[in-house]
């Protein structure tokens, strides 16, 4: 890509996105999903506070604010702070924008705020059932994120590309486990789908760490794993060998302690999970 370089007191920087411009003022411009960001992107792959642009004189840099999916510049994942050159292509989530520099545009050409499209190309207002400034709960966002990422993961898993599915879903799955450990009680349906993907990734990659993920998640919830996941684990455990047997044993202990509050179906699942522990011990 041929970079543009312009000098002069009347010059400025702006982001070009989908035919629109966002004029960058000196100082900080925060980009993210949260409503209080200067640039709001309604994209499930964008963190609430994803990145910030720092304009200082004739220099612009982008800083990753610890986002789950990172910031990419010209196709490469950027470091913690990266100096930009006019013409650089910035990718945040699935949103592509270009840094430009030149004579200060008129007011009509600049906008103070815009909302981007989601991964699927559906307008954010339609997806949320309201305006682009509508707020959603973290549990709703989690379910929506898994729906979007899961659609991509389903396709690559069907092609046998387990490592690619792991890259697509890994960050989200680990953050969901962190939330459970922090006592944030993730939505039950989202958790069930998450461990369903984890066991499929374990099967496709042969990595026992994803079996451990399932065990750790439901240990935090103090509940038996879903029936479909238990069924799949009986097959997967024959493919992997590096699972954490102590964690599985501890999980069985957690389930025994909860027997008094379990119904018949959950007690039966507990017995089947005990069978998984015995199967793991034979490997």
């Amino acid at each position: 890509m041929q970079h543009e370089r312009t000098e002069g007191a009347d010059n400025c920087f702006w982001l070009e996105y989908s035919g629109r411009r966002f004029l960058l003022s000196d100082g900080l411009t925060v980009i993210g999903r949260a409503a209080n960001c200067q640039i709001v992107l309604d994209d499930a792959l964008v963190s609430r506070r994803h990145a910030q642009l720092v304009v200082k004189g004739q220099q612009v840099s982008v800083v990753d604010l610890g986002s789950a999916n990172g910031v990419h510049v010209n196709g490469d994942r950027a470091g913690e702070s990266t100096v930009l050159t006019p013409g650089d292509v910035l990718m945040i989530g699935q949103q592509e924008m270009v840094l430009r520099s030149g004579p200060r545009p008129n007011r009509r050409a600049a906008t103070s705020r815009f909302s981007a499209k989601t991964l699927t190309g559906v307008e954010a207002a339609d997806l949320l059932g309201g305006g682009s400034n509508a707020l959603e709960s973290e549990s709703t966002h989690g379910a929506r994120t898994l729906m979007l990422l899961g659609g991509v993961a389903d396709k690559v898993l069907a092609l046998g590309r387990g490592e690619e599915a792991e890259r697509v879903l890994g960050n989200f799955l680990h953050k969901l486990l962190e939330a459970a450990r922090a006592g944030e009680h993730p939505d039950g349906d989202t958790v069930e789908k998450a461990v369903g993907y984890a066991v499929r990734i374990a099967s496709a990659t042969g990595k026992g760490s994803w079996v451990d993920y399932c065990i750790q998640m439901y240990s935090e919830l103090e509940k038996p794993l879903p029936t479909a996941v238990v069924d799949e684990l009986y097959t997967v455990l024959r493919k992997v060998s590096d699972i954490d047997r102590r964690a599985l044993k501890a999980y069985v202990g957690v389930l025994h302690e909860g027997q008094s509050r379990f119904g018949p179906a959950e007690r039966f699942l507990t017995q089947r999970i005990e069978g998984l522990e015995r199967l793991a011990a034979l490997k």
Side-chain angles (χ1 to χ4, degrees), residues 253-269:
V254 168
L255 295 179
H256 282 161
E257 291 177 3
Q259 287 286 309
S260 60
R261 56 184 172 80
F262 290 166
E266 290 175 308
R267 293 194 188 101
F268 177 68
L269 276 172

Side-chain angles (χ1 to χ4, degrees), residues 154-233:
D154 284 334
K155 293 176 182 177
V156 295
L157 283 168
L159 296 172
R161 303 208 296 258
E163 300 282 352
E164 191 170 341
E166 184 179 33
R167 286 194 295 272
V168 169
L169 282 171
N171 282 330
F172 174 82
L173 295 181
H174 286 302
K175 283 188 175 294
L176 194 67
L177 179 58
E178 289 171 9
R181 285 173 170 164
E184 295 179 13
H185 306 295
D187 174 71
D189 288 341
T190 301
V191 171
E192 186 167 339
K193 290 175 183 176
V195 296
Y197 279 114
V199 75
R200 289 172 65 191
I201 292 172
S203 180
T205 62
K207 294 182 179 180
S209 59
W210 288 108
V211 174
D212 297 339
Y213 176 91
C214 299
I215 300 304
Q216 291 162 9
M217 176 65 81
Y218 273 79
S219 289
E220 294 295 333
L221 300 178
E222 300 181 352
K223 293 168 54 178
L225 285 157
T227 301
V229 172
V230 174
D231 290 343
E232 185 70 16
L233 283 173

Side-chain angles (χ1 to χ4, degrees), residues 11-26:
N11 290 336
C12 65
F13 294 101
W14 67 87
L15 288 179
E16 190 174 89
Y17 170 80
S18 192
R20 289 168 287 177
R21 290 178 173 183
F22 184 95
L23 185 63
L24 299 175
S25 302
D26 283 349

Side-chain angles (χ1 to χ4, degrees), residues 81-103:
S81 179
T82 302
V83 175
L84 302 176
T85 301
D88 282 348
V89 178
L90 190 66
M91 180 75 78
I92 294 180
Q94 290 294 307
Q95 311 309 317
E96 183 177 288
M97 52 200 79
V98 182
L99 179 69
R100 301 293 188 191
S101 177

Side-chain angles (χ1 to χ4, degrees), residues 33 43-45 48 124 126-130 134-149 172 176 184-191 193:
R33 188 173 52 84
D43 182 329
L45 300 185
R48 296 188 70 81
D126 296 334
L127 189 62
L128 295 175
L135 298 178
E136 55 181 341
S137 69
E138 284 300 319
S139 62
T140 300
H141 173 66
R144 196 179 309 283
T145 300
L146 187 56
M147 177 185 71
L148 295 173
L149 296 180
F172 174 82
L176 194 67
E184 295 179 13
H185 306 295
D187 174 71
D189 288 341
T190 301
V191 171
K193 290 175 183 176

